[in-house]
């Protein structure tokens, strides 16, 4: 009986946290950044993007461990803002999840300009509080 009650309470806590968009606290001074590309870079497709993080560790989605998170790459969308901090990071062509703890990706991108920004999410794909986000960079695929 107690196991059922404890499981129900844990599920309620998880769902209410996700619904309210309350991310796990980020470490003081934590940073995330794109290692191998500079703003304004001209590149060829496929594009290799390497993720860097300081002040926190990388852990897969679903693994709740203090001081960790996993990467999400925002592609060709507005920079991270207050509305993004309020809930789960969506999973689509503009929000690529790296829930396995990956620290790089190679993407096929069409010719033209593309924006890239990294956002660290907690074990539930919710941005940390305060959010740990990179600068948005623009690259040109030739």
């Amino acid at each position: 009986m107690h196991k059922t009650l404890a499981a129900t309470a844990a599920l309620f806590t998880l769902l209410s946290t996700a619904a309210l968009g309350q991310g796990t606290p980020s470490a003081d001074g934590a940073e995330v950044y794109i290692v191998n590309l500079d703003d304004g870079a001209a590149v060829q497709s496929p594009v290799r993007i390497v993720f860097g993080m300081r002040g926190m560790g990388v852990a897969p989605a679903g693994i709740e461990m203090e001081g960790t998170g996993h990467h999400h790459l925002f592609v060709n969308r507005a920079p991270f803002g207050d509305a993004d901090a309020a809930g789960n990071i969506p999973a689509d062509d503009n929000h690529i999840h790296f829930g396995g703890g990956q620290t790089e990706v190679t993407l096929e991108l069409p010719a033209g300009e593309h924006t890239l920004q990294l956002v660290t999410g907690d074990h539930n794909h919710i941005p940390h509080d305060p959010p740990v986000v990179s600068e948005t960079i623009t690259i040109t695929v030739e």
Side-chain angles (χ1 to χ4, degrees), residues 9-57:
L11 180 60
F12 177 78
T13 300
L14 175 68
L15 293 175
S16 63
T17 299
L20 295 173
Q22 298 172 343
T24 301
S26 57
D28 289 339
E31 296 177 48
V32 65
Y33 54 95
I34 296 172
V35 174
N36 64 319
L37 298 171
D38 293 322
D39 188 36
V43 299
Q44 300 292 317
S45 193
V47 181
R48 181 173 175 244
I49 306 164
V50 179
F51 316 145
M53 188 183 301
R54 286 188 195 103
M56 290 180 65

Side-chain angles (χ1 to χ4, degrees), residues 1-14:
M1 182 71 102
H2 290 295
K3 286 182 181 179
T4 302
L5 185 56
T8 302
L11 180 60
F12 177 78
T13 300
L14 175 68

Side-chain angles (χ1 to χ4, degrees), residues 74 77-86 117 131:
F74 285 19
R77 54 144 286 164
F80 184 90
D82 290 342
D84 297 307
Q117 183 179 37

Side-chain angles (χ1 to χ4, degrees), residues 83-109:
D84 297 307
N88 292 62
I89 298 169
D92 56 34
D93 290 343
N94 301 104
H95 307 88
I96 305 172
H97 288 239
F98 297 93
Q102 304 93 316
T103 58
E104 67 178 69
V105 66
T106 300
L107 294 179
E108 291 284 345
L109 294 173

